[in-house]
Structures are given as C-alpha cells and as structure tokens.
C-alpha cells in the first residue's frame, strides 16, 4: 500500500465545497456520470483509431448500483479507459487544470463561502465527498492486466493498493454518510440522473431490487432489475424541436462546469455538401482562464458521435474562445491526427460557417440591451480582438463593438453614433487614453462640445490597437481628436489680427520651453482651457508608444508633443504682458505640464513641477 497526501488546493476545494455547495449536493452524480462518459469517449476513440485497441470487445455503458441496508453505499461503474496507479495519483490527488487551481487558492481567502463563484469551475470527482464518508475507486486501464484501488475519507490523505477488477474500466464506490443516504434509493437516483444526465450518449443502467406483486396485488417476492434510464443519444443529434430549454442548460453545465445561465444557445444541424452538427453556447460569465495564455478550449470535436478531442484550440478563432459547445462532423475520418485537423478543408468550412452563425447570434443578442450589456462586460474585449484578427468578418464585428462616448453614460455602437451625427459633421471622432474621467474632462473635447459633435472615449488598453484597424465605418472616416490640426475642418479659424497680436506670446513660450516640445501653436479649438497638448498628425499616439515599449522596443526616438494655446484665455494674455524671464519660464512650463497631466501623460520631472508651482503660489497668495 502506498499513502499519499492531497495537493493543498484539493484540500481547499474540499473545504470550499462543504461550505458552499451543501444545498446542491446532488450535482456529485452529474460529475461522476460525466467522468464515466468521458472515459467511455476516450476508449471509444482508441478502439477506432489505434491498432492496439481495435481487438477490444467494447460495449460502452455506465452502471449504477446501490445498497440501502444499514451501511448504505452507491456505486458508479463504467467500462471506459480506466486508470493505472500513476493516473490515480495524477488525476485524483491533484487539480490538474491551472485555471481551477489558481482560482481555488484565491477563493480560499475572503470569498470563502461564495457559492456563485464556486459554480464557475468544475468541482468534478471531489464533489462526491459531499455525500460520502469514504470513497473507493477501483480501476483497470484498458489493455492493462492489473487493477488498482484508490481510497480516501477526504481528510487530507489517500491510499493506493493493488486490486482486482474483472475487466477494464472504473468503479467508484461511495460509502454514503448521513447527508447522502437518500441516494441509496431507486427513485432519487432515477430522477437525478434523468435531470442531469439525459444527454449522455451512452446507456446508463440502474440496478435495483424490485418487489413483485401477484395478480391480486399482494407482495409475492423480490427480483433484481437492470433498467436503462436516460435516452443514450447525444443531445445535439436529437431533433431541435424535441429538446427542451432545460435539457440544453443541463448539457451546457456538463460540458462547461459552469452553473450559470447561458446568454444564447446556437444549435445547427447542417445537411448538404457537408454534414455536421454544431451546438454552441455563449456563457453569461467569462471562464476563469479567458485571458490566460494556457486557456482551455471550450469546444469538443466529435466525428460521427465519437469524441475526438477537447484540446484543439483551432476549432474556432481565438477571439471566440469563450464559446462552449461541440462540433460533430459526419465527413471527417475517425482517425484524424492533430496535424490533419489543422489543415483540414472540411473543418475549415465548418469553422467559417460556425463563426458567421455565432456572430449573427451575438448580433441578435445585441437587440436585448440588458443581455448585451452582460455580454459586453464579459466578452467585449474578445470582440475587439476579433476586429484585428478576423478580416473576413470585420463588417459584422464592427456592428458588435461598443464604446464609451461623450453622449451620456451608456455605451454606444458605431451605427448609433452615426444616427446622431450632425449634418455638417465629417467624421466619427474619438479620444483614446487610460482614464475615463481624464478623457471626459479633456480640453481637447471643448471644440467638439461647442459644435455638438459626439466624441467616442476609448479607455480600454486595447482600444487604441483596435481603432487603428478601423479607418472608416460605412464610409465615414474615424478621426483621433488629439492630433494637431484635428479640429481644423470645423473649428472657427483665428482672424489675422488675432494671429498677429498673439505671435509674440507664442514666441515667448516657445523660447521658454525650448526642446521639450515639438512646436507651440495657436489653436481655435479651445474654449475654457488655456492650452492643450496634441501629437503631430503622423506621430504614434501615447498608447501606441506605451504598447511599443511593452513589446520591448525601447530604442524608439522620443516623440515630443505640440503645445496648442488658446489666445483668448486670460493666462495666455497675461504671459504676453510680463517681462520677467523666470516668471515666463515658470508659467510656460506649468501650462505645458498641466496640459500633459490632463492628457494622461506622466511628467518627466515632477519635483521641478512642484517647485515651479510653489514659486507661482507664493506670488499669488
Ligand atoms: P475533470 O473531470 O473536470 O477533469 P475530475 O476531478 O472530475 O475533473 O476528474 C479528474 C480526472 O480523473 C479526469 O480528468 C480523468 O482523467 C480522471 N477520471 C475521473 N473519473 C474517471 C473515470 N470514471 N474513468 C477514467 N478516468 C477518470
């Protein structure tokens, strides 16, 4: 016998489950049956694709047995792939999925009892400890001679010993505790299995003792029954009209391990040149690993009902990685290898049809503002990624993207923006930066406000990258407002007199600032602010510069901003009236630095800024 201790996170998960899921104990049955079904899927695949397994006589099934005597137990058996001693240690002593593992360690802190959160990841096998004092697993791997036993009371340790099993497969025996004893019952088992596992594509048999009655209705004896429950057909192959919404939801829960509702169910049964079925779900909550490099694919591939893989990230484009579901093709060969999968024409066609279908469902979803706002909050970023990954579907993606805007607090689509455009407005205007409040209060917006032109406010890190891919929307160009001259096409221009009168002031400030700016100019776009900084038309934006730096490009030439002045503003006029060079320098720098701060830039020398501010304050007070 060898004794082992559980990985720390397993103990944490067990503890969390006891505290959070006690009112949903019954899900343990779904988890165990789903594991059995996966094990059957895996062996089925090997028997059609691998010569070593082809001779195996394989009639996949799941069996459920129980004893309702004093020491009540429940057993779930399958004749699937099975596990050897090493597999048992790896699979039933640790949490393999990195996303789940990290999440469990985080959860163990403050959110300890939050059952909503725990619903987001697969509790899997370990959930059986909610109803069991002891769990014994006896397993024999297909093509192995030896069987192994794994046993634990869920209190930190488990033991592995050699065992006997007639044939390959796995038996999980639960010694039921008080909180689980109702599962040693035919009716409870039957109804729970029907509720949670009706879509399992393998037959599930329930073994029970039935009471016999004679024709007068008197008890005449007992007999053992082995009755198939559940339909044993893959849900996605059943006619759409015969599937109830609850059945879709249960199926979703099984494949996603997410207990939340879905925002959309997309079931397609295609016939014709290509024959395939796809069943996709859009979750209402982002999976934990959505933004991790090692995220898990959410789509399982089947060929003629035989499970092929759930680890192929190319089945859908990366930006749709939040979609959960299955693809089942009638046309692919069963023994497809990964290399073949990736260049397979059939799969490529299924993929492109699926993307179109999913995007059109998201479009439909966007008509329901409440649902779409949930969707956007969780997956908006993915849609934005799509804009620079998926050129073929750009038009559709452009309809889905949403931005903040100066027009109210709601997000807006580009289409909505267009309907609000003024007759003389030539472009869709936007301002990108890191902080919504800075953007909303930016001096750059003043001229647009005066004209009644709406400005999109892009405060998401990737917005800049996204927007740089969109030159126009339905023939209306998109224009950044923080570029020099951006407002020229509509702002009132300065009169010759104004320009002439302000020239000495511009020169004074230019001289004071010297090399720190690219240029100092007069601007007609400002209203209440004295100045603003902008970038030269062809210079990369601030966010772009930061992005280049993050990507390790440190040798970019320094990009200097242009300072634009409002000649009508009192501060500018006063600078014009003073002669004290030191004071002119302080005022010019403060103007420049204040404008930089308002544009979300960091100051090169904050202490010099502080000293300048103190000197000016001292004079003013
Ligand atoms: P999950 O099913 O989400 O991976 P579980 O904790 O339920 O997580 O199971 C962990 C692993 O144990 C499974 O991935 C599988 O490799 C193995 N396993 C569990 N039950 C069985 C079974 N009945 N037959 C074969 N392997 C199993």
């Amino acid at each position: 016998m060898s004794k082992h201790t559980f990985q720390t996170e397993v103990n944490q998960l067990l503890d969390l489950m006891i505290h959070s899921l006690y009112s949903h104990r019954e899900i343990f049955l779904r988890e165990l049956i789903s594991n059995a079904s996966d094990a059957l899927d895996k062996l089925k695949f090997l028997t059609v694709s691998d010569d070593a397994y082809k001779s195996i006589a394989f009639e996949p099934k799941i069996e459920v047995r129980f004893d309702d005597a004093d020491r009540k137990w429940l057993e779930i058996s399958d004749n699937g792939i099975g596990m050897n001693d090493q597999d048992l240690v790896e699979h039933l002593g640790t949490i393999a999925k990195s996303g789940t593992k990290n999440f469990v360690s985080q959860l163990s802190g403050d959110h300890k009892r939050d059952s909503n959160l725990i619903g987001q990841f697969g509790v899997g096998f370990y959930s059986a400890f909610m109803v069991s004092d002891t769990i014994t697993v006896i397993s024999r791997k297909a093509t192995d001679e030896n069987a192994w036993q794994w046993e634990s009371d869920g209190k930190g340790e488990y033991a592995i010993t050699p065992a006997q099993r007639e044939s390959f497969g796995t038996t999980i025996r639960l010694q039921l505790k008080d909180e689980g004893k109702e599962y040693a019952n035919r009716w409870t088992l039957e109804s729970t299995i029907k509720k949670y596992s009706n879509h399992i594509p393998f037959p599930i048999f329930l073994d029970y003792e039935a009471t016999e009655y004679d024709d007068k209705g008197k008890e005449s004896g007992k007999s053992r029954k082995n009755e198939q429950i559940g339909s044993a057909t893959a849900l996605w192959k059943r006619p759409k009209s015969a599937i109830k919404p609850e059945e879709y939801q249960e199926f979703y829960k099984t494949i996603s391990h997410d207990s939340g509702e879905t925002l959309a169910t997309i079931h397609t049964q295609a016939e014709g040149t290509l024959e395939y079925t796809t069943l996709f779900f859009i979750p209402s909550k982002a999976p934990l690993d959505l933004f991790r490099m090692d995220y898990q694919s959410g789509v399982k591939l089947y060929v003629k009902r035989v499970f092929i893989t759930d680890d192929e990230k190319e089945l859908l484009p990366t930006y749709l990685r939040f979609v959960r579901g299955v693809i089942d093709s009638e046309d692919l060969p069963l023994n497809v290898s990964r290399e073949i999968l990736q260049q397979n024409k059939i799969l490529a066609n299924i993929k492109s049809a699926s993307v179109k279908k999913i995007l059109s469902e998201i479009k439909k979803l966007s008509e329901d503002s409440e649902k779409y706002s949930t969707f956007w909050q969780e997956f908006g970023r993915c849609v934005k990624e799509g804009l620079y990954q998926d050129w073929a579907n750009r038009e559709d993606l452009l309809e889905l993207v949403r931005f903040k805007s100066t027009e109210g607090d709601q997000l807006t689509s580009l289409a909505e923006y267009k309907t609000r455009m003024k007759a003389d407005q030539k472009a869709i205007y936007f301002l990108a930066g890191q902080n919504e409040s800075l953007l909303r209060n930016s001096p750059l917006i003043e001229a647009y406000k005066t004209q009644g032109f709406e400005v999109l406010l892009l405060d998401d890190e990737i917005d800049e990258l996204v927007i740089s891919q969109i030159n126009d929307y339905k023939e209306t160009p998109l224009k950044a407002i923080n570029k020099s001259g951006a407002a020229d096409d509509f702002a009132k221009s300065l009169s010759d007199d104004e320009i002439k009168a302000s020239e000495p002031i511009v020169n004074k400030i230019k001289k004071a600032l010297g090399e720190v700016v690219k240029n100092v100019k007069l601007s007609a776009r400002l209203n209440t602010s004295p100045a603003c900084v902008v970038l030269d038309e062809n210079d990369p934006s601030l966010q772009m510069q930061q992005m280049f730096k993050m990507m390790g490009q440190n040798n970019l030439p320094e990009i200097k901003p242009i300072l634009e002045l409002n000649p009508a503003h009192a501060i500018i006029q006063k600078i014009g009236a003073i002669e004290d060079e030191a004071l002119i320098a302080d005022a010019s720098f403060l103007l420049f630095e204040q404008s930089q701060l308002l544009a979300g830039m960091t100051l090169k020398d904050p202490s010099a800024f502080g000293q300048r501010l103190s000197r000016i304050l001292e004079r003013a007070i």
Side-chain angles (χ1 to χ4, degrees):
M1 182 179 79
S2 60
K3 272 210 173 294
H4 304 257
T5 50
F6 285 125
Q7 189 188 34
T8 324
E9 287 83 3
V10 175
N11 291 323
Q12 288 167 341
L13 177 61
L14 285 168
D15 183 47
L16 275 170
M17 260 181 332
I18 306 275
H19 290 117
S20 324
L21 285 177
Y22 51 86
S23 53
H24 302 283
R25 258 180 232 123
E26 60 187 15
I27 58 150
F28 85 91
L29 201 54
R30 171 185 81 197
E31 300 291 321
L32 295 185
I33 289 180
S34 140
N35 280 349
S37 172
D38 290 346
L40 293 169
D41 266 340
K42 283 180 196 152
L43 184 55
K44 194 167 169 190
F45 174 59
L46 290 171
T47 59
V48 295
S49 63
D50 187 330
D51 285 339
Y53 291 82
K54 279 196 173 138
S55 58
I56 288 182
F58 181 50
E59 244 184 81
K61 64 170 185 246
I62 299 168
E63 281 194 294
V64 180
R65 302 195 309 133
F66 62 90
D67 188 346
D68 61 358
D70 284 350
R71 265 181 67 68
K72 296 183 182 3
W73 54 256
L74 170 65
E75 233 175 55
I76 290 110
S77 304
D78 64 70
N79 56 344
I81 182 81
M83 289 174 277
N84 61 20
D85 51 343
Q86 216 178 334
D87 297 334
L88 286 167
V89 172
E90 253 164 55
H91 299 320
L92 305 185
T94 61
I95 298 177
K97 293 191 200 114
S98 48
T100 305
K101 192 177 144 192
N102 288 338
F103 197 61
V104 170
S105 5
Q106 284 167 23
L107 258 193
S108 311
D110 296 347
H111 308 288
K112 205 163 180 166
R113 268 134 233 242
D114 195 333
S115 61
N116 281 334
L117 289 173
I118 201 169
Q120 284 178 43
F121 56 85
V123 286
F125 169 80
Y126 304 106
S127 62
F129 279 111
M130 291 193 292
V131 296
S132 324
D133 283 327
T134 310
I135 301 180
T136 311
V137 179
I138 296 183
S139 195
R140 186 171 139 194
K141 201 164 180 163
T143 72
D144 273 12
E145 286 301 313
N146 304 325
W148 293 92
Q149 173 180 301
W150 177 105
E151 190 166 83
S152 172
D153 59 4
K155 300 207 168 80
E157 287 185 340
Y158 59 96
I160 292 191
T161 39
Q164 297 294 320
R165 199 179 193 282
E166 225 169 84
S167 168
F168 53 84
T170 303
T171 299
I172 316 254
R173 180 188 275 234
L174 313 178
Q175 197 63 60
L176 296 171
K177 57 181 173 189
D178 261 2
E179 292 89 344
K181 58 179 193 286
E182 74 259 37
Y183 293 99
N185 174 287
R186 174 188 167 192
W187 306 111
T188 315
L189 287 169
E190 190 172 328
S191 68
T192 316
I193 292 170
K194 279 201 173 137
K195 176 171 169 199
Y196 287 117
S197 309
N198 210 20
H199 57 269
I200 296 280
F202 303 105
I204 303 171
F205 292 94
L206 181 62
D207 184 283
Y208 61 92
E209 190 173 61
T211 314
E212 305 278 337
Y213 297 93
D214 62 16
D215 31 346
K216 293 190 191 79
K218 244 187 91 188
E219 225 182 287
S220 64
K222 306 262 185 199
S223 67
R224 284 225 81 77
K225 300 262 184 207
N226 195 257
E227 190 179 79
Q228 183 180 336
I229 41 179
S231 60
T233 40
L235 179 92
W236 61 91
K237 290 310 268 185
R238 285 165 48 197
K240 280 161 76 169
S241 57
I243 306 174
K244 298 195 203 100
E246 309 87 86
E247 291 181 289
Y248 279 125
Q249 287 301 317
E250 277 315 323
F251 179 66
Y252 166 72
K253 283 179 192 170
T254 319
I255 58 163
S256 66
H257 293 302
D258 171 18
S259 59
E261 293 292 303
T262 55
L263 288 174
T265 301
I266 312 161
H267 193 179
T268 312
Q269 295 169 322
E271 280 168 13
T273 35
L274 276 188
E275 226 179 289
Y276 63 87
T277 305
T278 53
L279 174 54
F280 297 123
F281 298 95
I282 299 177
S284 55
K285 196 108 195 74
L288 301 167
D289 57 4
L290 190 64
F291 294 106
R292 289 176 60 96
M293 291 294 278
D294 61 348
Y295 71 91
Q296 279 253 294
S297 151
V299 177
K300 294 175 189 253
L301 177 69
Y302 285 77
V303 172
K304 301 184 195 72
R305 249 84 55 238
V306 176
F307 169 78
I308 306 292
T309 176
D310 57 2
D311 189 28
E312 176 50 65
K313 295 188 178 173
E314 300 288 315
L315 295 173
L316 287 179
T318 330
Y319 73 92
L320 291 178
R321 62 190 176 278
F322 57 88
V323 173
R324 300 287 176 253
V326 299
I327 296 177
D328 188 355
S329 157
E330 299 294 318
D331 309 300
L332 284 170
L334 272 169
N335 55 352
V336 283
S337 68
R338 175 161 288 211
E339 294 70 39
I340 293 180
L341 276 183
Q342 286 176 351
Q343 324 145 358
N344 186 279
K345 274 224 171 77
I346 297 169
L347 215 49
N349 284 333
I350 297 177
K351 179 173 171 177
S352 81
S354 297
V355 173
K356 290 214 160 18
K357 186 83 198 174
I358 292 168
L359 294 182
S360 86
E361 284 299 320
I362 300 178
K363 179 86 203 315
K364 270 191 216 155
L365 197 65
S366 72
E367 285 153 25
D368 180 330
S369 62
E370 199 177 319
K371 277 192 177 170
Y372 200 64
S373 105
T374 309
F375 171 83
W376 189 256
Q377 196 175 344
E378 298 294 314
F379 308 118
R381 247 181 177 228
C382 297
V383 172
K384 289 178 184 170
E385 284 174 30
L387 271 171
Y388 58 82
Q389 281 173 12
D390 186 356
W391 282 86
N393 292 296
R394 256 172 84 79
E395 301 278 303
D396 292 330
L397 285 159
L398 277 176
E399 298 302 332
L400 301 179
V401 69
R402 297 289 181 271
F403 295 111
K404 288 180 183 154
S405 138
T406 50
E407 193 70 30
D409 306 329
Q410 303 288 326
L411 296 174
T412 182
S413 66
L414 294 171
E416 287 162 341
Y417 182 109
K418 266 198 91 158
T419 62
R420 289 188 295 260
M421 276 174 70
K422 293 277 175 299
D424 55 341
Q425 185 176 343
K426 298 203 177 69
I428 295 175
Y429 298 109
F430 68 88
L431 179 60
Q434 297 140 320
N435 177 316
E436 180 180 350
S437 131
L438 276 182
L439 292 178
R440 283 200 186 277
N441 296 305
S442 166
L444 294 170
I445 287 180
E446 287 171 8
Y448 297 81
K449 269 198 191 137
T450 321
Q451 295 288 317
F453 294 167
E454 180 176 350
V455 178
L456 297 176
L457 304 171
L458 314 187
D459 63 345
D460 187 351
E461 281 169 19
I462 77 164
D463 281 344
E464 186 77 40
L465 200 61
V466 174
I467 208 91
S468 66
Q469 304 291 312
I470 319 175
N471 288 325
D472 49 61
Y473 169 73
K474 297 207 164 145
E475 281 146 40
T476 307
L478 269 76
K479 252 183 148 175
I481 68 166
N482 59 353
K483 293 282 166 110
S484 146
D488 289 356
D489 55 354
F490 67 85
K492 65 171 175 29
S493 48
L494 300 168
S495 68
D496 287 348
D497 286 350
E498 263 177 310
I499 296 175
K500 218 165 167 213
S502 309
E503 213 169 313
I505 312 180
V506 174
N507 289 336
K508 256 188 190 171
I509 296 178
K510 210 186 265 184
K511 192 173 152 222
L513 293 177
E515 290 297 301
V516 304
V517 288
K518 192 164 190 174
N519 200 359
V520 179
K521 286 190 190 174
L522 292 177
S523 164
R525 69 160 108 198
L526 296 166
N527 194 351
T528 53
S529 304
C532 64
V533 288
V534 291
L535 290 164
D536 211 353
E537 188 134 30
N538 298 316
D539 281 344
S541 71
L542 202 58
Q543 278 68 36
M544 280 297 191
Q545 295 174 38
Q546 274 160 355
M547 214 143 17
F548 290 140
K549 271 200 199 123
M550 262 157 55
M551 291 189 290
Q553 300 194 19
N554 288 320
N555 48 0
L556 289 174
E558 191 196 357
I559 290 150
K560 293 176 188 166
I562 294 170
L563 182 68
E564 288 194 356
L565 305 175
N566 176 0
H569 200 279
I571 297 183
I572 306 298
Q573 308 230 330
K574 281 188 178 168
I575 295 179
I578 51 176
E579 294 301 333
D580 175 349
E581 297 232 339
L583 185 57
I584 294 173
D586 276 350
S588 304
F589 269 96
L590 278 178
L591 260 186
F592 175 56
E593 285 160 336
Q594 178 202 36
S595 304
Q596 281 185 301
L597 288 174
L598 288 176
M601 299 177 180
T602 42
L603 299 183
K604 262 193 175 160
D605 190 350
S607 71
F609 166 73
Q611 286 156 12
R612 278 191 267 281
L613 195 58
S614 302
R615 284 196 293 271
I616 296 269
L617 270 177
E618 211 180 301
R619 277 174 177 265
I621 295 173

